[in-house]
Amino acid sequence: GLPHSEDYHRGMRLRKHLPLTLLALLVAGSSVLADPMAPPNDTRARAMQSISQADTTPRLEELYRLARAGDDTALLLQLESQSSREDLPAAARDYILYTFAISLGDLEAGSVGPAVFQYLESNSPRVRVPHPDHPRVGVPLFNIPAAASGSRIRWHYDEARASGQRLMALGSTQWLTAYLVESPAGRQGMLDGLANATATQTRQVGERALAGTDKRSERTEVAARSALLLQDPDMLRSAILSGRGPALTAAIRDMHDLLTPHEVVSLAAAAIAASPPATAALIFAEPAERLAGEVEMTELLFSTLPDPERGGAAAMALARNPNPEVRARLLTLADDGDSLTGRRVQLALGLQASAET
Protein backbone atom coordinates (compact mmCIF):
# COMPACT_ATOMS: atom_id res chain seq x y z
CA GLY A 1 0.00 0.00 0.00
CA LEU A 2 2.54 2.63 -1.01
CA PRO A 3 1.21 6.22 -1.16
CA HIS A 4 2.18 6.24 -4.86
CA SER A 5 0.26 3.06 -5.66
CA GLU A 6 -2.82 2.76 -7.88
CA ASP A 7 -5.35 3.47 -5.10
CA TYR A 8 -3.56 6.75 -4.36
CA HIS A 9 -3.44 7.82 -8.00
CA ARG A 10 -7.11 6.95 -8.42
CA GLY A 11 -7.92 9.29 -5.58
CA MET A 12 -5.61 12.04 -6.78
CA ARG A 13 -7.20 12.18 -10.26
CA LEU A 14 -9.73 14.61 -8.85
CA ARG A 15 -7.06 17.28 -8.45
CA LYS A 16 -6.22 17.08 -12.16
CA HIS A 17 -9.82 17.63 -13.22
CA LEU A 18 -10.78 20.44 -10.86
CA PRO A 19 -10.71 23.94 -12.38
CA LEU A 20 -8.22 26.30 -10.73
CA THR A 21 -11.07 28.29 -9.22
CA LEU A 22 -12.32 25.22 -7.38
CA LEU A 23 -8.85 24.35 -6.17
CA ALA A 24 -8.59 27.84 -4.70
CA LEU A 25 -11.91 27.30 -2.95
CA LEU A 26 -10.71 23.97 -1.60
CA VAL A 27 -7.54 25.46 -0.15
CA ALA A 28 -9.23 28.59 1.21
CA GLY A 29 -11.99 26.91 3.21
CA SER A 30 -10.77 23.42 3.74
CA SER A 31 -9.27 22.75 7.09
CA VAL A 32 -11.05 21.83 10.32
CA LEU A 33 -8.03 21.36 12.53
CA ALA A 34 -8.20 21.13 16.30
CA ASP A 35 -5.17 23.37 16.75
CA PRO A 36 -3.71 24.96 13.60
CA MET A 37 -0.52 25.93 15.49
CA ALA A 38 0.13 22.52 17.08
CA PRO A 39 3.71 21.27 16.78
CA PRO A 40 4.61 18.35 14.50
CA ASN A 41 4.28 14.85 15.92
CA ASP A 42 6.12 12.94 13.19
CA THR A 43 8.47 13.40 10.27
CA ARG A 44 7.35 13.07 6.67
CA ALA A 45 9.87 10.33 5.91
CA ARG A 46 8.94 8.22 8.93
CA ALA A 47 5.21 8.62 8.30
CA MET A 48 5.53 7.64 4.64
CA GLN A 49 7.61 4.64 5.62
CA SER A 50 4.92 3.47 8.03
CA ILE A 51 2.28 3.76 5.29
CA SER A 52 4.40 1.70 2.89
CA GLN A 53 4.41 -1.11 5.44
CA ALA A 54 0.61 -1.07 5.94
CA ASP A 55 -1.83 -3.00 3.77
CA THR A 56 -4.06 -0.09 2.74
CA THR A 57 -5.36 -1.29 -0.63
CA PRO A 58 -7.95 -3.85 0.55
CA ARG A 59 -9.20 -1.41 3.18
CA LEU A 60 -9.72 1.26 0.54
CA GLU A 61 -11.37 -1.21 -1.82
CA GLU A 62 -13.93 -2.07 0.87
CA LEU A 63 -14.71 1.62 1.39
CA TYR A 64 -15.12 2.09 -2.37
CA ARG A 65 -17.43 -0.95 -2.54
CA LEU A 66 -19.69 0.37 0.21
CA ALA A 67 -19.79 3.84 -1.36
CA ARG A 68 -20.77 2.44 -4.76
CA ALA A 69 -23.43 0.34 -3.09
CA GLY A 70 -24.89 3.42 -1.40
CA ASP A 71 -24.81 1.73 2.03
CA ASP A 72 -24.13 4.78 4.20
CA THR A 73 -24.70 2.97 7.49
CA ALA A 74 -22.14 0.28 6.76
CA LEU A 75 -19.81 2.84 5.21
CA LEU A 76 -19.84 5.02 8.32
CA LEU A 77 -19.15 2.01 10.52
CA GLN A 78 -16.24 1.02 8.29
CA LEU A 79 -14.85 4.57 8.27
CA GLU A 80 -14.98 4.68 12.05
CA SER A 81 -13.31 1.26 12.21
CA GLN A 82 -10.46 2.36 9.95
CA SER A 83 -10.11 5.62 11.86
CA SER A 84 -9.75 3.95 15.25
CA ARG A 85 -7.74 0.82 14.43
CA GLU A 86 -4.81 0.68 16.83
CA ASP A 87 -3.07 -1.97 14.72
CA LEU A 88 -2.63 0.58 11.92
CA PRO A 89 -0.10 3.44 12.13
CA ALA A 90 -1.74 6.83 12.51
CA ALA A 91 -0.32 7.94 9.16
CA ALA A 92 -1.89 4.95 7.42
CA ARG A 93 -5.29 5.73 8.97
CA ASP A 94 -5.06 9.33 7.78
CA TYR A 95 -3.95 8.17 4.35
CA ILE A 96 -6.90 5.78 3.98
CA LEU A 97 -9.49 8.37 4.98
CA TYR A 98 -7.85 11.09 2.88
CA THR A 99 -7.59 8.95 -0.26
CA PHE A 100 -11.18 7.77 0.11
CA ALA A 101 -12.41 11.33 0.71
CA ILE A 102 -10.72 12.76 -2.34
CA SER A 103 -11.87 9.79 -4.46
CA LEU A 104 -15.51 10.57 -3.69
CA GLY A 105 -15.25 13.33 -6.27
CA ASP A 106 -14.92 10.67 -8.99
CA LEU A 107 -18.25 9.09 -8.02
CA GLU A 108 -21.62 10.25 -9.25
CA ALA A 109 -23.06 13.04 -7.13
CA GLY A 110 -25.31 11.67 -4.43
CA SER A 111 -23.54 8.30 -4.22
CA VAL A 112 -23.11 8.85 -0.47
CA GLY A 113 -25.19 10.96 1.86
CA PRO A 114 -24.40 14.11 3.87
CA ALA A 115 -23.52 12.11 6.99
CA VAL A 116 -20.48 10.63 5.25
CA PHE A 117 -19.18 14.05 4.30
CA GLN A 118 -19.88 15.38 7.79
CA TYR A 119 -17.88 12.54 9.29
CA LEU A 120 -14.90 13.12 7.00
CA GLU A 121 -14.99 16.92 7.27
CA SER A 122 -14.92 16.72 11.07
CA ASN A 123 -12.10 14.15 11.18
CA SER A 124 -8.96 16.01 12.23
CA PRO A 125 -5.75 14.55 10.80
CA ARG A 126 -3.67 12.69 13.36
CA VAL A 127 -0.24 13.13 11.80
CA ARG A 128 1.36 16.55 11.59
CA VAL A 129 4.74 17.01 9.94
CA PRO A 130 7.03 20.06 10.10
CA HIS A 131 6.01 23.00 7.96
CA PRO A 132 8.69 23.48 5.26
CA ASP A 133 9.28 27.12 6.24
CA HIS A 134 8.43 26.97 9.95
CA PRO A 135 9.54 23.55 11.23
CA ARG A 136 8.19 24.12 14.73
CA VAL A 137 4.67 24.32 13.32
CA GLY A 138 2.98 21.09 12.29
CA VAL A 139 0.88 20.75 9.13
CA PRO A 140 -1.34 17.78 8.26
CA LEU A 141 0.35 15.16 6.14
CA PHE A 142 -3.11 14.20 4.82
CA ASN A 143 -5.76 16.88 5.26
CA ILE A 144 -8.92 14.78 5.41
CA PRO A 145 -11.38 17.69 5.82
CA ALA A 146 -9.85 19.40 2.77
CA ALA A 147 -10.21 16.28 0.66
CA ALA A 148 -13.85 15.80 1.68
CA SER A 149 -14.65 19.48 1.06
CA GLY A 150 -13.05 19.23 -2.36
CA SER A 151 -15.19 16.24 -3.31
CA ARG A 152 -18.35 17.91 -2.04
CA ILE A 153 -17.47 20.99 -4.12
CA ARG A 154 -16.82 18.80 -7.17
CA TRP A 155 -20.25 17.21 -6.81
CA HIS A 156 -21.92 20.59 -6.60
CA TYR A 157 -19.92 21.77 -9.61
CA ASP A 158 -21.09 18.75 -11.64
CA GLU A 159 -24.72 19.16 -10.54
CA ALA A 160 -24.74 22.87 -11.37
CA ARG A 161 -23.17 22.27 -14.77
CA ALA A 162 -25.85 19.71 -15.65
CA SER A 163 -28.61 21.92 -14.22
CA GLY A 164 -27.34 24.88 -16.23
CA GLN A 165 -27.57 22.91 -19.45
CA ARG A 166 -31.18 22.02 -18.68
CA LEU A 167 -32.01 25.62 -17.80
CA MET A 168 -30.44 26.85 -21.02
CA ALA A 169 -33.16 25.04 -22.93
CA LEU A 170 -35.74 27.14 -21.06
CA GLY A 171 -34.09 30.45 -21.95
CA SER A 172 -31.36 32.89 -20.99
CA THR A 173 -33.44 34.57 -18.28
CA GLN A 174 -33.91 31.33 -16.35
CA TRP A 175 -30.24 30.42 -16.74
CA LEU A 176 -28.98 33.81 -15.53
CA THR A 177 -31.45 33.98 -12.63
CA ALA A 178 -30.18 30.63 -11.34
CA TYR A 179 -26.56 31.58 -11.95
CA LEU A 180 -26.77 34.77 -9.90
CA VAL A 181 -27.90 32.90 -6.77
CA GLU A 182 -25.44 29.99 -7.12
CA SER A 183 -22.40 29.35 -4.97
CA PRO A 184 -18.95 30.01 -6.47
CA ALA A 185 -18.54 26.32 -7.34
CA GLY A 186 -22.01 26.23 -8.88
CA ARG A 187 -21.32 29.33 -10.95
CA GLN A 188 -18.09 27.79 -12.20
CA GLY A 189 -20.00 24.68 -13.26
CA MET A 190 -22.64 26.68 -15.09
CA LEU A 191 -20.00 28.83 -16.79
CA ASP A 192 -18.06 25.79 -17.97
CA GLY A 193 -21.32 24.31 -19.23
CA LEU A 194 -21.64 27.20 -21.69
CA ALA A 195 -19.11 25.35 -23.83
CA ASN A 196 -21.93 22.91 -24.68
CA ALA A 197 -24.50 25.60 -25.54
CA THR A 198 -25.28 26.73 -29.05
CA ALA A 199 -23.86 30.03 -30.32
CA THR A 200 -27.36 31.53 -30.19
CA GLN A 201 -27.88 30.45 -26.58
CA THR A 202 -24.46 31.76 -25.56
CA ARG A 203 -25.10 35.11 -27.23
CA GLN A 204 -28.48 35.45 -25.51
CA VAL A 205 -26.94 34.75 -22.10
CA GLY A 206 -24.10 37.20 -22.71
CA GLU A 207 -26.45 39.95 -23.84
CA ARG A 208 -28.80 39.27 -20.91
CA ALA A 209 -25.87 39.60 -18.50
CA LEU A 210 -24.84 42.92 -20.04
CA ALA A 211 -28.41 44.22 -19.86
CA GLY A 212 -28.52 44.05 -16.07
CA THR A 213 -28.42 47.31 -14.14
CA ASP A 214 -26.98 45.98 -10.86
CA LYS A 215 -23.39 45.86 -12.23
CA ARG A 216 -22.57 42.68 -10.30
CA SER A 217 -19.22 40.99 -10.88
CA GLU A 218 -21.10 37.80 -11.75
CA ARG A 219 -22.65 39.51 -14.78
CA THR A 220 -19.20 40.54 -15.98
CA GLU A 221 -18.10 36.93 -15.61
CA VAL A 222 -20.92 35.64 -17.81
CA ALA A 223 -20.57 38.32 -20.49
CA ALA A 224 -16.81 37.89 -20.72
CA ARG A 225 -17.00 34.09 -20.93
CA SER A 226 -19.71 34.35 -23.59
CA ALA A 227 -17.58 36.78 -25.59
CA LEU A 228 -14.58 34.48 -25.48
CA LEU A 229 -16.64 31.47 -26.54
CA LEU A 230 -18.19 33.46 -29.39
CA GLN A 231 -14.90 35.16 -30.26
CA ASP A 232 -16.84 38.43 -30.11
CA PRO A 233 -14.57 41.42 -29.42
CA ASP A 234 -17.49 43.86 -29.17
CA MET A 235 -19.15 41.83 -26.42
CA LEU A 236 -15.87 41.57 -24.53
CA ARG A 237 -15.36 45.31 -24.86
CA SER A 238 -18.83 45.93 -23.41
CA ALA A 239 -18.17 43.46 -20.59
CA ILE A 240 -14.99 45.31 -19.62
CA LEU A 241 -16.41 48.82 -19.88
CA SER A 242 -19.39 47.92 -17.68
CA GLY A 243 -17.53 45.37 -15.56
CA ARG A 244 -17.04 45.24 -11.83
CA GLY A 245 -15.23 43.13 -9.27
CA PRO A 246 -12.82 40.20 -9.65
CA ALA A 247 -14.37 39.16 -12.96
CA LEU A 248 -13.27 42.47 -14.49
CA THR A 249 -9.63 41.65 -13.75
CA ALA A 250 -10.00 38.27 -15.45
CA ALA A 251 -11.73 39.80 -18.48
CA ILE A 252 -8.94 42.36 -18.92
CA ARG A 253 -6.35 39.61 -18.62
CA ASP A 254 -8.13 37.72 -21.43
CA MET A 255 -8.66 40.72 -23.70
CA HIS A 256 -5.46 40.13 -25.67
CA ASP A 257 -6.97 36.88 -26.96
CA LEU A 258 -9.57 38.87 -28.91
CA LEU A 259 -8.46 42.47 -29.22
CA THR A 260 -5.67 43.90 -31.36
CA PRO A 261 -3.24 46.35 -29.70
CA HIS A 262 -5.05 49.22 -31.46
CA GLU A 263 -8.38 47.98 -30.07
CA VAL A 264 -6.89 47.78 -26.57
CA VAL A 265 -5.83 51.42 -26.84
CA SER A 266 -9.35 52.38 -27.95
CA LEU A 267 -10.77 50.38 -25.06
CA ALA A 268 -8.49 52.18 -22.58
CA ALA A 269 -9.57 55.55 -23.94
CA ALA A 270 -13.22 54.58 -23.64
CA ALA A 271 -12.63 53.37 -20.08
CA ILE A 272 -11.06 56.71 -19.15
CA ALA A 273 -14.11 58.49 -20.52
CA ALA A 274 -16.93 56.33 -19.24
CA SER A 275 -15.88 53.69 -16.69
CA PRO A 276 -14.82 53.83 -13.04
CA PRO A 277 -11.13 54.71 -12.51
CA ALA A 278 -10.31 51.10 -11.60
CA THR A 279 -11.10 49.91 -15.13
CA ALA A 280 -8.48 52.09 -16.81
CA ALA A 281 -6.01 51.31 -14.03
CA LEU A 282 -6.41 47.57 -14.63
CA ILE A 283 -5.92 47.99 -18.36
CA PHE A 284 -2.81 50.10 -17.73
CA ALA A 285 -1.52 47.43 -15.35
CA GLU A 286 -1.27 44.84 -18.11
CA PRO A 287 2.31 43.66 -18.74
CA ALA A 288 4.23 46.50 -20.36
CA GLU A 289 5.76 44.29 -23.04
CA ARG A 290 2.35 43.68 -24.60
CA LEU A 291 1.87 47.35 -25.47
CA ALA A 292 5.28 48.91 -25.00
CA GLY A 293 5.73 49.43 -28.73
CA GLU A 294 2.31 51.01 -29.24
CA VAL A 295 2.81 54.73 -29.73
CA GLU A 296 -0.93 55.31 -29.31
CA MET A 297 -0.93 53.73 -25.88
CA THR A 298 2.18 55.62 -24.83
CA GLU A 299 0.64 58.94 -25.79
CA LEU A 300 -2.64 58.03 -24.09
CA LEU A 301 -0.74 57.26 -20.89
CA PHE A 302 1.18 60.54 -20.99
CA SER A 303 -2.04 62.46 -21.56
CA THR A 304 -3.61 60.70 -18.56
CA LEU A 305 -0.86 61.66 -16.10
CA PRO A 306 -2.67 64.83 -14.88
CA ASP A 307 -5.93 62.88 -14.29
CA PRO A 308 -6.64 63.06 -10.52
CA GLU A 309 -7.93 59.47 -10.32
CA ARG A 310 -6.13 57.64 -13.14
CA GLY A 311 -2.80 59.46 -13.41
CA GLY A 312 -1.01 57.34 -10.83
CA ALA A 313 -1.77 54.13 -12.74
CA ALA A 314 -0.63 55.79 -15.97
CA ALA A 315 2.65 56.80 -14.35
CA MET A 316 3.30 53.25 -13.15
CA ALA A 317 2.59 51.86 -16.63
CA LEU A 318 4.98 54.32 -18.24
CA ALA A 319 7.68 53.61 -15.66
CA ARG A 320 7.60 49.94 -16.70
CA ASN A 321 8.14 50.83 -20.37
CA PRO A 322 11.74 49.98 -21.36
CA ASN A 323 11.81 52.43 -24.28
CA PRO A 324 14.68 54.95 -23.68
CA GLU A 325 12.68 57.81 -25.22
CA VAL A 326 9.80 57.16 -22.84
CA ARG A 327 12.21 57.06 -19.91
CA ALA A 328 13.76 60.38 -20.99
CA ARG A 329 10.35 62.06 -21.14
CA LEU A 330 9.53 60.75 -17.67
CA LEU A 331 12.78 62.04 -16.22
CA THR A 332 12.01 65.47 -17.65
CA LEU A 333 8.59 65.44 -16.02
CA ALA A 334 10.08 64.20 -12.75
CA ASP A 335 12.29 67.30 -12.57
CA ASP A 336 9.16 69.31 -11.80
CA GLY A 337 8.69 67.98 -8.29
CA ASP A 338 6.23 70.72 -7.38
CA SER A 339 3.50 69.47 -9.74
CA LEU A 340 1.19 66.49 -9.16
CA THR A 341 2.40 64.89 -12.39
CA GLY A 342 6.04 65.34 -11.40
CA ARG A 343 5.53 63.78 -7.98
CA ARG A 344 3.64 60.86 -9.51
CA VAL A 345 6.40 60.21 -12.01
CA GLN A 346 9.06 60.42 -9.30
CA LEU A 347 7.19 57.89 -7.21
CA ALA A 348 6.56 55.55 -10.15
CA LEU A 349 10.20 55.63 -11.24
CA GLY A 350 11.34 54.98 -7.68
CA LEU A 351 9.02 52.02 -7.26
CA GLN A 352 10.06 50.57 -10.59
CA ALA A 353 13.74 50.95 -9.70
CA SER A 354 13.12 49.11 -6.43
CA ALA A 355 11.30 46.31 -8.28
CA GLU A 356 14.22 45.88 -10.70
CA THR A 357 16.85 45.52 -7.98
Side-chain angles (χ1 to χ4, degrees):
L2 283 170
H4 300 292
S5 62
E6 177 58 27
D7 56 23
Y8 183 73
H9 288 302
R10 181 166 52 244
M12 291 302 289
R13 282 201 306 271
L14 173 61
R15 288 185 185 271
K16 297 180 181 179
H17 299 310
L18 271 177
L20 290 178
T21 303
L22 296 189
L23 285 177
L25 287 170
L26 188 157
V27 172
S30 61
S31 189
V32 186
L33 305 178
D35 181 2
M37 298 301 292
N41 56 15
D42 206 344
T43 66
R44 184 179 300 273
R46 188 166 53 226
M48 299 303 268
Q49 179 65 24
S50 70
I51 296 170
S52 70
Q53 296 170 351
D55 193 9
T56 59
T57 298
R59 302 176 192 279
L60 278 164
E61 290 297 342
E62 177 61 11
L63 294 174
Y64 296 146
R65 184 188 70 79
L66 293 172
R68 288 191 293 267
D71 190 344
D72 282 6
T73 301
L75 178 57
L76 283 166
L77 289 172
Q78 185 67 13
L79 286 168
E80 177 59 30
S81 173
Q82 298 300 335
S83 177
S84 58
R85 289 187 72 102
E86 294 298 332
D87 59 331
L88 274 179
R93 284 179 270 161
D94 280 358
Y95 164 71
I96 289 170
L97 295 185
Y98 172 87
T99 305
F100 174 71
I102 207 169
S103 297
L104 286 176
D106 290 330
L107 299 180
E108 183 179 351
S111 298
V112 303
V116 174
F117 279 106
Q118 289 167 6
Y119 177 83
L120 292 167
E121 289 173 347
S122 64
N123 200 301
S124 290
R126 295 151 193 79
V127 175
R128 302 176 66 93
V129 298
H131 187 284
D133 298 320
H134 306 283
R136 293 186 179 181
V137 176
V139 293
L141 181 60
F142 295 107
N143 196 331
I144 301 161
S149 295
S151 290
R152 189 196 286 269
I153 288 169
R154 178 61 194 238
W155 279 12
H156 186 59
Y157 167 90
D158 289 341
E159 290 171 329
R161 181 167 182 158
S163 174
Q165 291 173 6
R166 292 191 296 270
L167 286 168
M168 188 64 79
L170 301 177
S172 59
T173 300
Q174 289 86 341
W175 188 96
L176 188 61
T177 299
Y179 177 87
L180 291 174
V181 298
E182 261 293 356
S183 67
R187 290 198 301 272
Q188 186 68 54
M190 293 182 72
L191 271 182
D192 291 346
L194 286 177
N196 301 115
T198 67
T200 299
Q201 290 172 330
T202 303
R203 183 168 300 283
Q204 289 172 345
V205 165
E207 291 174 349
R208 177 69 60 181
L210 288 172
T213 58
D214 52 11
K215 304 298 183 184
R216 290 175 55 177
S217 179
E218 291 83 0
R219 290 185 179 274
T220 305
E221 207 168 34
V222 173
R225 177 66 70 91
S226 299
L228 291 169
L229 288 169
L230 295 167
Q231 291 292 285
D232 186 336
D234 290 334
M235 181 177 286
L236 183 60
R237 175 186 168 93
S238 296
I240 290 172
L241 290 176
S242 64
R244 299 291 189 278
L248 174 61
T249 304
I252 289 173
R253 187 178 59 242
D254 293 333
M255 69 184 176
H256 299 282
D257 294 336
L258 282 185
L259 304 181
T260 66
H262 174 75
E263 289 171 331
V264 171
V265 175
S266 297
L267 176 63
I272 291 171
S275 298
T279 304
L282 288 169
I283 296 173
F284 294 163
E286 278 295 283
E289 59 270 16
R290 291 183 186 263
L291 298 168
E294 292 299 312
V295 175
E296 286 181 297
M297 178 58 86
T298 299
E299 295 306 318
L300 177 64
L301 290 170
F302 271 110
S303 68
T304 308
L305 287 174
D307 187 302
E309 296 179 297
R310 301 167 180 85
M316 287 302 303
L318 287 166
R320 294 196 306 272
N321 191 317
N323 188 311
E325 294 181 5
V326 171
R327 181 57 58 95
R329 289 176 65 180
L330 288 175
L331 290 172
T332 299
L333 290 170
D335 286 339
D336 183 10
D338 294 331
S339 69
L340 175 61
T341 296
R343 291 194 299 273
R344 280 176 168 168
V345 171
Q346 287 176 357
L347 177 61
L349 288 173
L351 291 172
Q352 184 62 21
S354 298
E356 292 172 354
T357 57

